[in-house]
Amino acid sequence: MIDEMEQDRAVKAGHRRMWALGSYATVAAEVIPELGTALVQAAGVGPGDRVLDVAAGTGNAAVPAALAGAEVVASDLTPELLEIGRALAAERGVELDWQEADAEALPYADGEFDRVLSCVGVMFAPRHRAAADELVRVCRPGGTIGLVNWTPEGFIGQLFATMRPYAPPPPPGAQPPPLWGDEEHVRALLGDRVTDLVLRREVVTVDRFAAPEDFRDYFKAHYGPTIAVYRANAEDPERVAALDGDLADLARRHTEAGVMRWEYLLVTARRRG
C-alpha cells in the first residue's frame, strides 16, 4: 500500500511538472478559446449556480462560468496554471476561488456543486474510474455534469497516438486520455448514476497555422505533453528528427485549405436523484 501511495504521488508530481512546461495558457487563449464558453452554455450555467471546474487549467471554462453569474471554484493539480488563471480572471473583472486539487481525490463534500465541469482537463487524470467517481460524487442529485473531451479519432487524439511511440511507458493502471472522447467509455464510467446523458461530437475550427511545421513548432514551444516527449528524446537527434516529421505529417493530413478541425465529445448529464 505504501508503495502504491508513493507511486501515485510520483505520477501526480510528474503531471504537475508536465503541465507547467511551456504555456498552456497561450494554447487555451489562442487556439481553443471558445471551448470553455461552449461547455458553460451546454451545461446551462447561470446566476446563482455553484460550479466546480475540475482540472480547470487557466480557467477556459471557469472564467466564462463566473461571467455567467455563477459562484465558481476552479481546481487543478498544477499551481502554476492556477496562478495564471487568477490573473486572467482579474483582467476579465471576475472573482473565482482557485484551489489546488487532484481530480481523482477532490477535497469537496458529496453533492456540494450544482454543476461540475471539465474542459479537456479531467480526461488527463490517469485513472478514469476514480476521476469519474469524483465528478459524480461532488455533483448534487439533479445537478449537471458537463465535459469537453478530445476524441481518439480527432486531431488531438491522433496527436497523442503519434507521440506515444516516443514517450516513456505510462505508469501502471493509467488509461489513455482520449478514451474520454469515446461514447461507450463515458457511458461505462458514468453508468446508471446519471440520467439525461447526451453525447455529441463537435469540432473546433483552428486556422492560425499557415503550415504544418508551424503547428509542430507551436506545440513544441507551448504544449506541455509535447514538450515532455521532446525532452524524453533530447539525447537522440534521429528520434527528434523522426518526431518532427511525424508531427508535421499529422498536421498536414488534418489541414484542408489552411483550416484544421479538431473533434471533441461534448458530454452533459444529470446526476440521478
Side-chain angles (χ1 to χ4, degrees):
M1 179 64 71
I2 293 176
D3 288 344
E4 289 181 5
M5 291 175 61
E6 290 178 350
Q7 183 183 66
D8 184 65
R9 282 194 292 267
V11 169
K12 300 302 167 57
H15 274 242
R16 288 188 186 93
R17 288 192 298 271
M18 180 181 71
W19 288 107
L21 295 172
S23 177
Y24 183 73
T26 300
V27 177
E30 295 183 351
V31 184
I32 55 171
E34 63 265 45
L35 281 189
T37 298
L39 176 58
V40 166
Q41 293 174 347
V45 174
D49 284 334
R50 177 124 169 101
V51 174
L52 175 65
D53 187 2
V54 179
T58 55
N60 208 19
V63 171
L67 288 168
E71 178 186 348
V72 182
V73 175
S75 68
D76 199 276
L77 192 65
T78 305
E80 291 88 345
L81 297 183
L82 296 174
E83 286 301 313
I84 296 168
R86 187 176 288 111
L88 293 173
E91 291 176 7
R92 301 288 298 276
V94 291
E95 292 187 4
L96 292 74
D97 189 0
W98 300 85
Q99 298 184 6
E100 186 175 341
D102 181 355
E104 296 178 358
L106 293 169
Y108 308 114
D110 295 358
E112 185 171 341
F113 297 94
D114 300 306
R115 305 186 192 276
V116 179
L117 311 178
S118 189
C119 183
V120 294
V122 74
M123 63 181 290
F124 292 100
R127 297 180 301 170
H128 294 188
R129 171 61 65 187
D133 289 349
E134 287 295 89
L135 294 176
V136 174
R137 181 184 67 79
V138 301
C139 185
R140 68 166 174 80
T144 298
I145 297 168
L147 309 171
V148 165
N149 302 320
W150 301 120
T151 65
E153 301 85 0
F155 178 73
I156 296 296
Q158 289 302 298
L159 170 67
F160 278 91
T162 300
M163 295 193 299
R164 189 176 303 126
Y166 299 92
Q175 294 176 281
L179 271 180
W180 271 98
D182 177 82
E183 292 90 341
E184 291 308 312
H185 188 65
V186 173
R187 285 192 183 97
L189 288 175
L190 299 178
D192 61 3
R193 299 176 296 179
V194 302
T195 64
D196 303 317
L197 177 62
V198 177
L199 303 162
R200 190 167 74 241
R201 293 198 176 210
E202 303 281 359
V203 296
V204 58
T205 300
V206 177
D207 61 0
R208 65 166 291 114
F209 304 114
E213 292 78 11
D214 293 336
F215 160 80
R216 179 198 64 206
D217 294 342
Y218 185 95
F219 265 53
K220 283 176 68 172
H222 296 300
Y223 193 56
T226 304
I227 296 169
V229 170
Y230 272 96
R231 288 190 176 186
N233 292 275
E235 302 302 318
D236 191 333
E238 290 186 1
R239 282 177 65 82
V240 169
L243 179 56
D244 275 345
D246 286 349
L247 292 186
D249 287 345
L250 172 71
R252 189 173 294 109
R253 294 195 303 271
H254 285 262
T255 301
E256 184 176 349
V259 175
M260 308 175 82
R261 291 177 174 83
W262 298 2
E263 186 183 64
Y264 63 90
L265 185 69
L266 179 61
V267 180
T268 57
R270 292 193 180 278
R271 181 180 170 184
R272 191 179 294 276

